[in-house]
């Protein structure tokens, strides 16, 4: 079902905290904070009003008990297609910096998606586990305008 979308990047966000047992709730809050920072960086201070341009992604929590990290598929979809190269460069340049603002020891891995079939299997490889199934984030989950 993930292959229905055109993805720009595969993104891994790892907190690398000393406490390797970061709860799924805390991981969710960290991802939420990173999402807000990244949208503001890419789309400006009024990013909440630009619903059609915000980041579109699915993130899946992996190894929530030990070494928790997020694997995600993300699409940059500007309203003006000529903005795509600028957005991609900005995203790649700011992704880790903003994650480190959320989690000082955090690291990222950002890769361009060329073959969506293989990468979609990779990011969902642990979805069969109960915690992982309950801990994935859909597009617009963090939409501040939703009730």
């Amino acid at each position: 079902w993930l292959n229905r979308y055109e993805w720009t990047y595969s993104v891994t966000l790892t907190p690398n905290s000393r406490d390797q047992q970061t709860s799924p709730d805390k991981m969710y809050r960290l991802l939420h904070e990173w999402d807000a920072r990244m949208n503001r960086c890419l789309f400006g201070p009024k990013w909440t009003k630009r619903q059609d341009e915000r980041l579109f992604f699915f993130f899946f929590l992996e190894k929530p008990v030990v070494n928790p990290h997020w694997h995600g598929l993300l699409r940059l979809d500007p309203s003006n297609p000529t903005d795509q190269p600028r957005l991609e460069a900005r995203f790649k340049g700011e992704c880790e910096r903003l994650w480190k603002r959320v989690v000082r020891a955090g690291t990222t891995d950002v890769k361009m998606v060329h073959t969506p079939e293989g990468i979609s299997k990779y990011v969902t490889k642990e979805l069969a586990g109960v915690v992982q199934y309950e801990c994935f984030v859909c597009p617009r989950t963090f939409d501040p305008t939703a009730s």
Side-chain angles (χ1 to χ4, degrees), residues 9 76 78 80-92:
Y9 294 111
L76 295 175
N80 182 352
T82 61
D83 288 340
Q84 188 77 22
R86 178 190 61 79
L87 270 181
E88 288 182 18
R90 185 92 190 246
F91 179 83
K92 286 178 73 173

Side-chain angles (χ1 to χ4, degrees), residues 57-85:
F57 57 68
F58 283 91
F59 271 95
F60 303 87
L61 184 60
E62 186 170 307
K63 305 215 185 287
V65 177
V66 178
N67 188 30
H69 55 282
W70 290 106
H71 284 295
L73 291 172
L74 182 139
R75 181 175 74 203
L76 295 175
D77 194 17
S79 57
N80 182 352
T82 61
D83 288 340
Q84 188 77 22

Side-chain angles (χ1 to χ4, degrees), residues 40-55:
R40 181 180 174 88
C41 175
L42 294 174
F43 306 111
K46 295 184 180 176
W47 64 272
T48 59
K49 296 182 191 302
R50 300 172 78 178
Q51 295 176 1
D52 59 327
E53 293 184 35
R54 290 197 299 252
L55 295 176

